[in-house]
């Protein structure tokens, strides 16, 4: 049986920009209700205004939430259940990429990446798992090429995404028989705000230069893969999807 998006309730972390925002648009256009989580609440509120009622009875709910603050995720989960119904699709998308050579010892940035990209994903999943298990659904974990390939100046980011890959495979096996699928998406370079927070100028330039050298992906390219992966028939598990710009070497 195909998993129609119409009538489903998708929770998207980091919905205020980039891949999360594009995914919210793609799922809402197929009739899913969307819960838009982010710290920049003004941005998710205006997206929710735009998407509400865009397709049939689909709703959009903006929620201020920080994936490193469990209480804010629990409050979001409570409001989603009350206002949209049971969440049956969780897109663990919120992330930060603070690149720098290891020798610079930017411990606070390593910790921030571990807190958001790794612990934040596990805790968010823990909070929503009860709703997902209550009838099945999909968990989409946004990893990266950096979850499979070590890249200089990317070591701590590599560690977080590599961690997500291992955890996703373990969780997929634990979820067998429950109707919950685990889908891992590993993008290469995508044009978003992600690199704008990098404090090391050389690392930031390396990322910015990519778009000078070849056509990098658009957030919509990843959104359409996510949309497809959650709507294939229930017997199909798109377990791991690596998607690069055609000319990206690593
Ligand atoms: N762009 C790429 O080349 C690329 C490649 C591979 C993988 N990815 C992954 O794709 C995901 C989305 O990134 P993007 O490229 O779309 O970048 P982006 O535009 O910077 O989006 C990142 C999102 O994460 C949210 N976020 C950051 N810290 C958060 C926190 N503590 N709590 C809640 N939300 C938080 C941000 O929202 P607020 O600031 O409003 O909270 C923002 O919406 C990330 O996991 C990233 O690692 C991106």
């Amino acid at each position: 049986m195909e998993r129609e998006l119409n009538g489903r309730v998708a929770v998207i972390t980091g919905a205020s920009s980039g891949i999360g925002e594009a995914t919210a648009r793609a799922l809402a256009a197929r009739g899913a209700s969307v819960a838009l989580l982010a710290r920049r609440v003004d941005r998710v509120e205006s997206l929710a205004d735009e998407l509400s009622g865009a397709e049939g009875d689909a709703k959009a709910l903006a929620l201020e939430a920080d994936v490193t603050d469990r209480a804010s995720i629990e409050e979001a989960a409570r409001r989603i259940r009350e206002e949209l119904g049971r969440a049956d699709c969780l897109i663990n998308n919120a992330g930060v990429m603070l690149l720098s050579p290891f020798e610079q010892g930017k411990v606070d940035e390593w910790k921030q990446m571990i807190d958001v990209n790794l612990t934040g994903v596990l805790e968010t999943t823990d909070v929503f798992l009860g709703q997902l298990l209550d009838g099945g659904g999909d968990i989409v974990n946004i990893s990266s090429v950096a979850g499979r390939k070590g890249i200089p100046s990317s070591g701590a980011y590599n560690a977080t995404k590599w961690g997500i890959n291992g955890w996703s495979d373990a969780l997929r096996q634990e979820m067998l028989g429950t109707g919950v699928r685990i889908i891992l998406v590993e993008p290469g370079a995508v044009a978003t705000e992600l690199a704008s927070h990098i404090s090391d100028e050389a690392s930031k330039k390396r990322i910015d230069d990519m778009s000078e050298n070849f056509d990098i992906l658009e957030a919509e390219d990843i959104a359409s893969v996510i949309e497809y992966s959650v709507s294939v028939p229930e017997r199909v598990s798109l377990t791991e999807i690596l998607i690069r710009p055609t000319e990206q070497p690593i």
Side-chain angles (χ1 to χ4, degrees):
M1 197 171 79
E2 193 147 308
R3 283 197 168 155
E4 276 299 325
L5 294 181
N6 203 349
R8 293 188 64 182
V9 175
V11 179
I12 302 152
T13 66
S16 54
S17 58
I19 294 168
E21 179 181 346
T23 302
R25 287 182 200 283
L27 299 182
R30 290 275 308 275
S33 287
V34 286
L36 312 171
L37 276 61
R39 293 167 307 172
R40 288 172 295 175
V41 69
D42 51 322
R43 291 179 69 150
V44 280
E45 277 170 357
S46 53
L47 183 60
D49 285 347
E50 180 196 322
L51 298 180
S52 281
E55 196 60 42
D57 296 332
K59 295 181 189 157
L61 178 64
L63 294 157
E64 184 171 2
D66 181 331
V67 296
T68 68
D69 170 10
R70 188 179 175 106
S72 74
I73 301 297
E74 287 176 343
E75 173 59 11
R78 191 192 62 73
R79 284 196 54 198
I80 290 163
R81 180 125 220 184
E82 202 172 278
E83 297 177 39
L84 300 180
R86 179 182 80 86
D88 63 4
C89 182
L90 171 63
I91 317 286
N92 281 314
N93 167 74
V96 283
M97 182 183 75
L98 307 169
L99 307 183
S100 61
F102 187 72
E103 261 188 278
Q104 289 183 5
K106 297 197 179 213
V107 179
D108 289 346
E109 294 189 351
W110 305 341
K111 286 185 175 168
Q112 189 186 345
M113 287 192 284
I114 292 165
D115 287 348
V116 177
N117 301 1
L118 193 53
T119 314
V121 172
L122 270 59
E123 283 214 60
T124 302
T125 304
D126 183 44
V127 168
F128 282 99
L129 195 59
Q131 294 194 38
L132 282 146
L133 285 170
D134 186 17
D138 294 304
I139 299 175
V140 181
N141 296 322
I142 308 302
S143 177
S144 169
V145 163
R148 294 169 59 119
K149 303 278 177 192
I151 305 164
S153 299
S154 182
Y157 183 68
N158 277 135
T160 65
K161 295 301 189 181
W162 221 285
I164 287 301
N165 286 18
W167 168 74
S168 293
D169 196 37
L171 186 63
R172 180 185 64 78
Q173 295 172 64
E174 289 182 34
M175 289 295 118
L176 295 177
T178 67
V180 176
R181 296 188 292 205
I182 310 296
I183 299 159
L184 182 69
V185 178
E186 302 162 329
V190 187
T192 68
E193 298 175 10
L194 193 67
S196 66
H197 308 293
I198 298 175
S199 63
D200 176 56
E201 281 308 319
S203 299
K204 184 170 183 311
K205 184 172 183 318
R206 182 173 62 77
I207 299 295
D208 291 344
D209 284 351
M210 275 193 190
S211 52
E212 305 289 315
N213 296 335
F214 53 84
D215 254 356
I216 64 170
L217 300 171
E218 301 292 333
E220 290 72 19
D221 299 327
I222 308 301
S224 64
V225 167
I226 294 169
E227 177 202 328
Y228 176 70
S229 72
V230 297
S231 32
V232 292
E234 290 184 8
R235 65 180 177 278
V236 181
S237 165
L238 284 159
T239 311
E240 187 173 5
I241 307 165
L242 174 62
I243 167 171
R244 291 185 175 93
T246 304
E247 298 299 327
Q248 179 173 321
I250 299 173

